Amino acid sequence: MNVFKGILFTFMAVVSAYQKQDDLSYPETIKRLAPPATINIGGTVPEKEIAETFAPGQKVYQKYCSVCHGYGVAGAPKMGDKESWTERYKKGWQTLMNHALNGYKGMPARGHCVKCSDKEIREAIAYIFTQSNVEQNE
Ligand code: HEC
């Protein structure tokens, strides 16, 4: 019985650690993606460097999200539109992640990328935010 409890406890600890991983906020996501020297979300990082640093999010963005967010299709906030994305950011990271994963009005669940992990979606959002110069503490 104790062994069973031990296994159950370990399992729950692993699950909660995993969930915490995917609950990472925007600043936390940026920190993990970017080597400390390149954290500078004020727009002064050379574009090439950002592209390399945020390569994981960029790939998913280009393949799936840009279809709508590149041009602002159907009221989608446009890539690079700092004001629109800052407004969205103010809703809170959890809400945004929830909407991106499960869908919200014109926003399809996972932006139609069914095989994307939560982590990949999170990185894609972080990529959009950095490219749109959303300040981490706004
Ligand atoms: C079919 C078009 C479409 C695709 C593809 C798409 N989006 Fe969206 N997205 C939208 C629209 C439209 C909205 C605005 C919804 C609203 O507020 O009315 C939106 C809103 C959002 C929001 C803000 C949600 C909120 O609560 O304000 C995030 C974050 C987001 N998209 C991320 C993504 C990511 C990441 C991808 C790619 C993996 C993606 N989107 C792909 C159409 C799209």
Side-chain angles (χ1 to χ4, degrees), residues 45-91:
V45 183
E47 209 146 295
K48 185 172 167 283
E49 210 172 299
I50 290 185
E52 280 163 13
T53 307
F54 296 100
Q58 186 188 30
K59 268 188 212 145
V60 170
Y61 170 77
Q62 279 171 349
K63 195 156 179 206
Y64 296 94
C65 323
S66 67
V67 181
C68 297
H69 288 281
Y71 306 97
V73 171
K78 214 170 153 186
M79 178 61 140
D81 182 346
K82 179 176 177 178
E83 214 173 295
S84 299
W85 281 113
T86 301
E87 278 308 304
R88 303 280 171 166
Y89 180 49
K90 284 180 187 158
K91 289 183 176 184

